[in-house]
Amino acid sequence: MEKGDVVSVVAVSGEYVGILDKIENDTVILQKPRMVIQTQEGMGFARGIAVTGEENPEEVLFSNVVFVVPTNDAVAKAHTEATTNIQLVK
């Protein structure tokens, strides 16, 4: 995993997808982070990472991360579409 890759972060508080900025010691910094949520229509992204937090924050620092993995292609494309005005070919 390299800076700029779309990754999935699993933390005690839930699962998040974003653009990897830095992994250092016990912290992970993501750009354009989104919390993964389940709805009746299937998986989607919340409009942020905390219910009472700022909507669509540009960056978040996670500590006490359980693990970080590359995001699968379908979710990475959905993240790009959710965080930009770009619609990718399916």
Side-chain angles (χ1 to χ4, degrees):
M1 291 178 289
E2 298 178 8
K3 182 176 181 169
D5 288 349
V6 178
V7 297
S8 298
V9 173
V10 173
V12 175
S13 58
E15 185 171 345
Y16 306 85
V17 175
I19 300 167
L20 181 62
D21 184 40
K22 186 186 297 185
I23 297 177
E24 188 173 273
N25 299 322
D26 292 335
T27 64
V28 176
I29 298 174
L30 293 185
Q31 302 293 319
K32 298 185 178 183
R34 295 295 183 272
M35 177 186 279
V36 177
I37 59 172
Q38 291 292 326
T39 69
Q40 291 180 347
E41 292 81 33
M43 186 185 79
F45 298 115
R47 295 185 58 84
I49 59 157
V51 174
T52 60
E54 175 183 59
E55 187 174 309
N56 299 329
E58 283 299 311
E59 178 180 278
V60 67
L61 182 144
F62 292 96
S63 60
N64 298 319
V65 170
V66 178
F67 60 85
V68 180
V69 294
T71 301
N72 75 55
D73 289 341
V75 175
K77 287 178 184 178
H79 178 269
T80 298
E81 291 178 352
T83 59
T84 67
N85 289 326
I86 299 170
Q87 296 298 307
L88 301 172
V89 177
K90 305 261 185 225

